[in-house]
Amino acid sequence: QVQLVESGGGLVQAGGSLRLSCAASARTFVNYVMGWFRQAPGKEREFVAVILSNGRSINYADFVKGRFTISRDNAKNTVYLQMSSLKPEDTAVYYCAARYRDYSIAQSDYDYWGQGTQVTVSS
């Protein structure tokens, strides 16, 4: 069982930055692929970014490329999402998720989810 706790959300003006953190309870955190997803009001949850265990294999949704950076610190059992040049359309609840070993950007493939953290970008 893996427990995930997100933090770092809040209210920011357009063009600003936030860094989200996700702390994991897994004893073998290094074996988990970590993803970030988001759900905007009235919309379905969507993929944002994924990082493999080695930290070198990374992928992003097109709408965040060049603005968001995913990273992980396996010694701290934590994955991060650095968000820059934020836009009002980035307003959403952001979730981190964990999947054992195998790469995927499909949320249905992820076994463990955090409770989410709200990000609100004002115009």
Side-chain angles (χ1 to χ4, degrees):
Q1 191 75 9
V2 177
Q3 292 185 326
L4 303 172
V5 179
E6 302 100 333
S7 61
L11 174 64
V12 63
Q13 289 188 334
S17 299
L18 280 175
R19 188 177 81 156
L20 306 183
S21 299
C22 174
S25 66
R27 288 186 295 175
T28 57
F29 177 73
V30 68
N31 290 333
Y32 286 85
V33 173
M34 300 299 297
W36 284 99
F37 297 80
R38 71 184 188 185
Q39 187 168 20
K43 296 187 177 181
E44 293 187 352
R45 190 161 55 186
E46 61 185 354
F47 164 75
V48 174
V50 61
I51 186 166
L52 271 63
S53 59
N54 59 16
R56 294 194 295 270
S57 298
I58 291 171
N59 196 11
Y60 298 97
D62 287 343
F63 53 78
V64 302
K65 284 182 179 178
R67 300 189 299 123
F68 291 11
T69 302
I70 188 171
S71 62
R72 65 190 293 161
D73 185 337
N74 289 334
K76 295 182 178 180
N77 281 20
T78 301
V79 62
Y80 304 97
L81 187 68
Q82 177 68 48
M83 305 185 295
S84 302
S85 302
L86 283 162
K87 305 174 182 180
E89 51 264 44
D90 293 319
T91 295
V93 177
Y94 283 73
Y95 299 89
C96 71
R99 168 175 167 77
Y100 188 68
R101 289 194 180 276
D102 295 331
Y103 171 88
S104 177
I105 63 170
Q107 55 183 299
S108 59
D109 288 337
Y110 283 76
D111 302 304
Y112 304 102
W113 292 83
Q115 82 288 350
T117 186
Q118 177 71 48
V119 172
T120 303
V121 185
S122 63
S123 57

